[in-house]
Every structure is written in structure tokens, then in C-alpha cells.
Amino acid sequence: ARLEAWIRQNRGEDRAAVAAYARALTKEPSDAMSWNNLANIHAKVGNTDRAIAAFENAITHAPGEVLIYLNLADVLRAADRG
């Protein structure tokens, strides 16, 4: 499901990608990169609170992954929360 999600995300199929990431995360809830990618989609379509929550989940599972913090900072800055 993660590969399908990534393909749909790269095609700009946001709704389908969100659904695919949700399926992937049901099977592998500790997959930080899926959380990060899901958060990026939420941010792209303006779902800031969902994006932040997904980034927080990603950080929980990969606290040393700098990219996630940078993505979260971008969303917080764009939402004037950081």
C-alpha cells in the first residue's frame, strides 16, 4: 500500500494517496516515512492540523529523522505558528 500511496502522491492524486497511506499505516503504524508523506499531502491541500498531527506521529517513530522536523517547520511557518 505504501508504494501505491507514493505513486498516487507523485501523480497528484491526493485523495487516493491519503487513502492508500491510511491503509499502509494500518498495516505498519510505525512507518515514519508514510506518516511524513501523508503529512505533506495534508499540508499541500490545506489541512494544517492533520498535517501537524501526522508529522508528530512521524517524529514519534523516527525522532532522529531531520527531514520530518524541517517539513513540520515549513508547515508551522506557513500557518504562522512557528
Side-chain angles (χ1 to χ4, degrees):
R2 180 179 177 191
L3 178 59
E4 174 195 354
W6 183 84
I7 290 168
R8 292 186 180 279
Q9 180 179 4
N10 282 290
R11 289 181 181 167
E13 300 171 7
D14 297 328
R15 284 187 178 168
V18 166
Y21 278 122
R23 287 192 301 278
L25 288 163
T26 298
K27 295 176 185 174
E28 184 81 35
S30 63
D31 181 357
M33 286 301 102
S34 286
W35 281 114
N36 178 72
N37 293 345
L38 176 62
N40 284 328
I41 297 168
H42 283 311
K44 175 185 169 190
V45 299
N47 293 330
T48 302
D49 290 335
R50 287 183 180 182
I52 292 168
F55 282 129
E56 289 172 347
N57 276 312
I59 290 166
T60 297
H61 297 295
E65 183 60 56
V66 175
L67 175 66
I68 300 167
Y69 293 95
L70 295 173
N71 289 338
L72 174 58
D74 287 342
V75 169
L76 291 173
R77 189 173 26 256
D80 202 22
R81 297 187 195 179

